[in-house]
């Protein structure tokens, strides 16, 4: 394998954020006194959250605004008299307690840590992401965590990748690869930064974007064989 520096996206690549998100959302609303079925409200929250994260990545909203606004809009939609600031605090506190690993994550990290250096690249909230990594048990394999909050720029901005590369023990562009599920953040960022990328695509989504992954993997168990094949190409 030619790669010695492996930059991993965190959510929906190594950690099953969708499962964690649902558990934390439910815990939050129950703590605020809401009873009954929350699934319809959760789906609306997810749509709001995705749109706000896209705005954050485009630099049009701040992360502090996003963290509260997603609940404000959700509660307005459901005509709920609940405090969005309190909901934001409860939700963020819950996330590190609801960590779910993507199948094969621990085995992949252990294998790659024996080959080279692993770093996490994430647009998530700095202290929350670090607590989630610690809760996941993957921290023993990870050399550094680069967050957009600490950097001041978000994926796919090349300044974020410059920041992440600067945290590595040794950075060589031709020996670095990004593994992530987001075409518009991880893969596009890799394209702009001039490094290899592995698109983690378990749902088999068709790529209709301008982002071009070097290789693709439908499961984490396919990542190493895909990277080995890339080295021989």
């Amino acid at each position: 394998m030619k790669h010695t520096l492996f930059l991993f996206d965190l959510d929906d690549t190594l950690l099953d954020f969708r499962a964690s998100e649902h558990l934390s959302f439910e815990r939050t609303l129950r703590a605020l006194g809401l009873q009954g079925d929350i699934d319809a409200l959760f789906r609306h929250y997810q749509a709001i959250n995705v749109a706000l994260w896209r705005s954050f990545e485009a630099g049009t909203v701040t992360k502090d605004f996003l963290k509260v606004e997603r609940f404000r809009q959700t509660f307005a939609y459901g005509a709920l008299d609940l405090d969005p600031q309190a909901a934001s605090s409860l939700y963020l506190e819950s996330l590190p307690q609801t960590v779910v690993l993507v199948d094969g994550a621990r085995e992949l990290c252990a294998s790659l840590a024996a080959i080279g250096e692993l770093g996490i690249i994430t647009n998530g909230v700095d202290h929350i992401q670090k607590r989630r990594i610690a809760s996941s048990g993957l921290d023993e394999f990870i050399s550094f965590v680069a967050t957009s909050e600490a950097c001041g720029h978000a994926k796919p901005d090349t300044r974020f990748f410059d920041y992440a590369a600067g945290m590595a023990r040794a950075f060589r562009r031709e020996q670095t690869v990004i593994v992530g599920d987001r075409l518009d953040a991880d893969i596009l960022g890799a394209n702009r930064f001039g490094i290899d990328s592995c698109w983690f695509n378990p749902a088999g989504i068709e790529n209709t974007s301008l982002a071009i992954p070097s290789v693709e993997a439908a499961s984490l168990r396919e990542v190493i064989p895909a990277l080995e094949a890339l080295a021989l190409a």
Side-chain angles (χ1 to χ4, degrees), residues 13-207:
T13 300
L14 293 177
L15 302 187
D16 187 341
F17 182 72
R18 296 181 185 184
S20 179
E21 180 184 37
H22 189 277
L23 288 168
S24 294
F25 184 84
E26 183 172 17
R27 283 189 183 187
T28 296
L29 294 199
R30 299 302 182 223
L32 292 174
L34 189 68
Q35 304 300 317
D37 184 33
I38 66 161
D39 284 349
L41 192 65
F42 175 66
R43 287 192 294 272
H44 195 74
Y45 164 85
Q46 282 185 305
I48 292 168
N49 191 40
V50 167
L52 284 168
W53 275 105
R54 296 290 189 270
S55 296
F56 167 73
E57 289 163 2
T60 58
V61 303
T62 67
K63 192 169 291 182
D64 284 341
F65 175 83
L66 176 157
K67 288 185 287 188
V68 178
E69 180 65 12
R70 55 190 175 183
F71 286 102
R72 189 197 67 76
Q73 290 187 30
T74 300
F75 296 160
Y77 166 81
L80 300 172
D81 185 19
L82 299 174
D83 182 356
Q85 184 71 56
S88 177
S89 297
L90 287 166
Y91 175 79
L92 291 175
E93 187 61 33
S94 177
L95 278 177
Q97 303 166 15
T98 59
V99 170
V100 178
L101 285 173
V102 172
D103 187 37
R106 183 173 181 83
E107 295 82 357
L108 176 59
C109 288
S111 296
L112 292 180
I115 296 171
E117 183 179 17
L118 269 69
I120 297 296
I121 53 171
T122 173
N123 282 347
V125 180
D126 186 88
H127 73 283
I128 298 298
Q129 297 297 64
K130 289 175 179 176
R131 287 177 59 193
R132 293 176 68 228
I133 291 166
S135 295
S136 74
L138 298 178
D139 52 336
E140 64 178 294
F141 307 117
I142 294 166
S143 174
F144 62 89
V145 179
T147 67
S148 60
E149 188 169 40
C151 169
H153 304 284
K155 296 183 291 184
D157 194 312
T158 56
R159 289 171 291 185
F160 174 84
F161 293 99
D162 271 323
Y163 171 78
M167 299 179 74
R169 291 192 297 266
F171 169 68
R172 292 182 178 84
R173 205 172 296 271
E174 69 278 5
Q175 295 178 350
T176 301
V177 62
I178 289 174
V179 182
D181 69 301
R182 292 270 306 278
L183 287 166
D184 58 346
D186 305 308
I187 308 306
L188 182 59
N191 292 165
R192 290 176 174 176
F193 197 55
I195 58 178
D196 287 334
S197 62
C198 177
W199 181 29
F200 178 55
N201 183 22
I205 299 168
E206 181 183 1
N207 181 6

